[in-house]
Amino acid sequence: MTARTVHVIGAGLAGLSAAARLVQSDVRVIVHEAGAQAGGRCRSYVDTVLNMPIDNGNHVILSGNRSALSYLALIGASDHMRGPAEADFNFVDLASRERWQLRLGYGMLPLWIFHNDRRVPNTRARDYLVLARLMWRPGRRTIGEMIDCSGALYERLVEPFFLATLNNAPPEASARLAATLLRETIAAGGRTCRPLIAMEGLSTAFVDPALVYLRAQDAEVQFGHELHRIEFEGTRAARLDFGGNSVDLGSGDRVIVAVPPNLASRLLPGLQTPTEYRAIANVHFRVDDAALPVMTGVVHGTTQWIFSYPGRLSVTISAADALMQQPREELARDVWREVAMVAGLPNTLPPWQVVRERRATIATDPQQEALRPAAATAWKNIILAGDWTDTGLPPTIESAIRSGERAAALAA
Ligand SMILES: Cc1cc2nc3c(=O)[nH]c(=O)nc-3n(C[C@H](O)[C@H](O)[C@H](O)COP(=O)(O)OP(=O)(O)OC[C@H]3O[C@@H](n4cnc5c(N)ncnc54)[C@H](O)[C@@H]3O)c2cc1C
């Protein structure tokens, strides 16, 4: 007989990762999700304008994201991620109309830097020393305080890479987060930088197989079950109030709170959390045949990355706060002009959809970074998880899944 229960609040990737690890130990696991669907900020749905399933946003992981890959293996979903055999990235510069391929290869060392035909055009091998400088004692400084944020290498590699991974204007972003990212990816060679994409949708890869796995392991997942309040007795949580019903916690029971920071701070009085967010905009176009690689980086435009899926081109714009007020059709037209130029397609606007997530991730400047709490809390039986907790990583899938692993280890 299992002795105790772990309640996981929130079925985003942090909650699902915690639950998937926990079912391997001798505890009963119950996941409580406020919404009707799992996946949180990483999920698929049917878009009624485009008349096709799309994701809430294009998501990429890298082959060096060890926690994400091990989660996918655990839930039996590794085959759903697709990517090139080597870490090759296609780029277009809208100002100069140049096109190039950054070829990081598949090695354990960043030797591509020494090859003229593999590195960024108009850069020299010694320019890449800025990456080493970023990794040297970043402390609480910003990227802009550590390196010069201008020039070809910055505009064509450093800015696109950190905008996508930190979701923040790089000059103001945390150099410590940038250093960790570099250490786990670019500095470790091409084998850790292969981009991996869930071509059949985020839910097919990250969410649905997790729900099947959890249920097969006798875990319960309850939808429409929002935690309204936690009642405390001294330094312990004593009762979970779900509105219509409440659950008394036994002495060995644990609660993993895996909800976004603004909601965690409402449930846990006095908890310090990040308070600022950055937006991400995605603009999707229904296009039948586009001769574009799966992923294209775009420099000197509003568009940052173009993703090519069957029947659809889809654009990601990170740190997109300035675009939140722009009329939707105007934004779609501006972005389509750029996409049409890159893909060699007519200027006529195809069916489109704009999806803007105002609170896509927390801001990643050093001030917000300092507010990210540890997994253990002031309450003995409450543990935190979420991409925004202090994982040492930017708020990404990897951070969410790693935070879930850590919370599970503390709760087991
Ligand atoms: C548009 C967009 C693009 C992105 N692109 C990338 C990318 O390319 N690569 C990458 O690695 N990351 C990317 N990210 C970030 C990534 O999606 C997140 O880091 C990750 O999904 C966060 O997971 P989480 O579980 O921490 O939080 P969430 O996904 O926010 O999950 C929290 C869950 O808790 C539930 N909940 C909230 N309150 C309650 C309550 N009181 N009771 C019960 N349940 C509750 C919510 O409904 C939700 O399901 C992107 C994010 C967005 C929005």
Side-chain angles (χ1 to χ4, degrees):
M1 202 178 92
T2 51
R4 54 201 188 81
T5 302
V6 180
H7 297 270
V8 178
I9 314 299
L13 294 189
L16 291 175
S17 145
R21 291 288 166 200
L22 276 167
V23 291
Q24 298 175 317
S25 20
D26 189 25
V27 292
R28 183 172 171 229
V29 178
I30 308 179
V31 182
H32 309 266
E33 165 57 45
Q37 196 185 342
R41 281 171 279 151
C42 184
R43 65 180 193 286
S44 315
Y45 62 94
V46 175
D47 183 85
T48 49
V49 175
L50 297 178
N51 198 21
M52 58 171 64
I54 63 171
D55 293 330
N56 69 310
N58 303 310
H59 280 62
V60 182
I61 62 168
L62 295 177
S63 49
N65 289 162
R66 60 175 192 269
S67 295
L69 294 186
S70 124
Y71 164 83
L72 289 164
L74 177 65
I75 61 171
S78 306
D79 289 351
H80 291 296
M81 301 306 288
R82 306 274 156 72
E86 302 208 339
D88 298 336
F89 294 86
N90 296 283
F91 279 92
V92 177
D93 185 328
L94 289 178
S96 66
R97 306 281 161 124
E98 279 171 281
R99 290 174 192 252
W100 67 94
Q101 195 177 43
L102 181 70
R103 291 167 49 225
L104 277 57
Y106 198 70
M108 289 175 64
L109 291 170
L111 297 175
W112 53 275
I113 286 171
F114 300 102
H115 295 265
N116 204 14
D117 59 339
R118 292 176 62 189
R119 63 179 182 242
V120 175
N122 304 329
T123 62
R124 300 156 302 180
R126 66 170 181 270
D127 296 340
Y128 292 76
L129 281 172
V130 295
L131 300 178
R133 198 175 313 140
L134 256 182
M135 289 190 287
W136 180 247
R137 295 190 185 167
R140 290 248 169 251
R141 284 180 287 176
T142 61
I143 293 177
E145 285 165 345
M146 302 232 5
I147 63 165
D148 177 12
C149 291
S150 65
L153 183 67
Y154 178 77
E155 289 172 5
R156 293 178 161 193
L157 176 62
V158 176
E159 184 177 43
F161 178 69
F162 286 127
L163 261 177
T165 49
L166 297 173
N167 192 27
N168 209 101
E172 286 101 53
S174 154
R176 189 169 76 95
L177 288 178
T180 309
L181 259 176
L182 284 174
R183 241 177 258 121
E184 293 198 7
T185 58
I186 290 181
R191 77 196 164 100
T192 58
C193 297
R194 278 194 320 119
L196 298 173
I197 297 176
M199 289 301 285
E200 298 141 32
L202 292 171
S203 292
T204 302
F206 286 96
V207 183
D208 300 342
L211 296 177
V212 170
Y213 174 76
L214 290 176
R215 286 182 180 129
Q217 304 291 323
D218 293 330
E220 266 178 69
V221 184
Q222 302 183 354
F223 292 103
H225 212 224
E226 178 181 355
L227 179 63
H228 288 221
R229 207 164 61 90
I230 303 176
E231 289 177 27
F232 300 95
E233 278 172 13
T235 55
R236 292 186 65 258
R239 192 167 301 104
L240 301 179
D241 174 0
F242 291 96
N245 68 318
S246 63
V247 173
D248 290 325
L249 297 171
S251 61
D253 293 351
R254 302 273 184 279
V255 182
I256 295 179
V257 174
V259 305
N262 54 326
L263 303 174
S265 62
R266 268 190 233 156
L267 292 169
L268 301 168
L271 178 73
Q272 179 177 273
T273 66
T275 50
E276 288 179 21
Y277 298 82
R278 292 290 179 268
I280 297 180
N282 277 259
V283 190
H284 309 273
F285 302 100
R286 207 173 68 209
V287 176
D288 284 337
D289 297 308
L292 274 187
V294 168
M295 203 177 150
T296 306
V298 180
V299 177
H300 292 134
T302 301
T303 303
Q304 292 168 0
W305 294 93
I306 305 173
F307 294 85
S308 178
Y309 299 100
R312 178 166 55 102
L313 289 176
S314 195
V315 164
T316 292
I317 306 162
S318 296
D321 301 75
L323 302 178
M324 286 299 109
Q325 303 306 330
Q326 186 172 0
R328 288 161 48 77
E329 182 163 349
E330 186 184 297
L331 177 60
R333 282 188 189 287
D334 285 355
V335 170
W336 178 251
R337 254 192 303 279
E338 297 178 347
V339 173
M341 197 293 261
V342 172
L345 290 168
N347 263 329
T348 325
L349 186 63
W352 56 272
Q353 180 61 279
V354 170
V355 183
R356 292 180 280 202
E357 296 249 8
R358 188 175 291 280
R359 290 183 167 171
T361 70
I362 53 165
T364 51
D365 57 65
Q367 291 74 28
Q368 292 297 307
E369 172 68 359
L371 297 174
R372 293 171 72 174
T377 68
W379 298 277
K380 289 192 170 64
N381 53 353
I382 297 193
I383 299 147
L384 292 176
D387 63 343
W388 56 276
T389 57
D390 188 12
T391 56
L393 296 167
T396 49
I397 288 177
E398 179 66 6
S399 177
I401 290 178
R402 216 177 278 181
S403 79
E405 284 173 1
R406 188 186 52 184
L410 290 172

